[in-house]
Amino acid sequence: MRTATSIMQWIVRIAGITLIVLGTLFWLGRALSLIPVHMAVGLVLVLAMLALAGIAARAGVRGGLVALTVIWALVVLVLGVTQMRILPGSAHWVVRVLHLLVGLGALRLAEVVANAVRGRAEQGPAGMVRERAGAA
């Protein structure tokens, strides 16, 4: 479970950096032809978040955190796909800022979930901390 968590966490991190760079270019009016790439990488981020939520559920992480992760991933997906149709015109900057904040929140939430999975992995079935190999 630890390896899968690390892989998903790194996918989220790499996707997040890519999305931030592309999003910044779009805000500057550059590379608009890469919007489909931005959307595809966003989908990868959403799928990695959902995978982390599944791993977390299996590891026994609090149900509320798992549910929040699933809901947040779906919000990222829906907002990303519908963004251009929400508040068109001069007020669209509000949607852009919201899109950025929801995306940054997704990156942070993925880190929290991955750390929660690792924390559960260090505990035994009764919540007792496992002894690490080589510990006195």
Side-chain angles (χ1 to χ4, degrees):
M1 222 180 284
R2 184 171 226 135
T3 301
T5 300
S6 292
I7 290 170
M8 289 304 116
Q9 189 174 23
W10 275 105
I11 289 172
V12 167
R13 289 172 177 170
I14 292 167
I17 291 168
T18 304
L19 291 166
I20 290 168
V21 169
L22 286 172
T24 301
L25 289 173
F26 301 154
W27 272 26
L28 297 173
R30 310 258 186 228
L32 297 176
S33 63
L34 295 178
I35 289 175
V37 173
H38 183 79
M39 292 176 73
V41 175
L43 180 60
V44 168
L45 173 79
V46 166
L47 293 174
M49 285 185 69
L50 293 173
L52 273 173
I55 293 166
R58 186 173 172 139
V61 171
R62 293 184 332 264
L65 182 58
V66 173
L68 176 62
T69 304
V70 170
I71 291 167
W72 201 276
L74 295 176
V75 167
V76 169
L77 180 65
V78 170
L79 182 59
V81 171
T82 63
Q83 169 180 341
M84 295 307 290
R85 295 186 296 260
I86 302 171
L87 281 177
S90 62
H92 187 67
W93 68 269
V94 174
V95 178
R96 286 182 171 180
V97 171
L98 178 64
H99 183 78
L100 173 63
L101 294 176
V102 167
L104 292 174
L107 300 178
R108 179 65 187 132
L109 183 56
E111 292 292 322
V112 169
V113 171
N115 289 334
V117 170
R118 284 192 190 87
R120 291 293 297 171
E122 292 177 5
Q123 294 178 354
M128 311 249 329
V129 176
R130 291 184 190 168
E131 289 187 35
R132 293 188 182 172

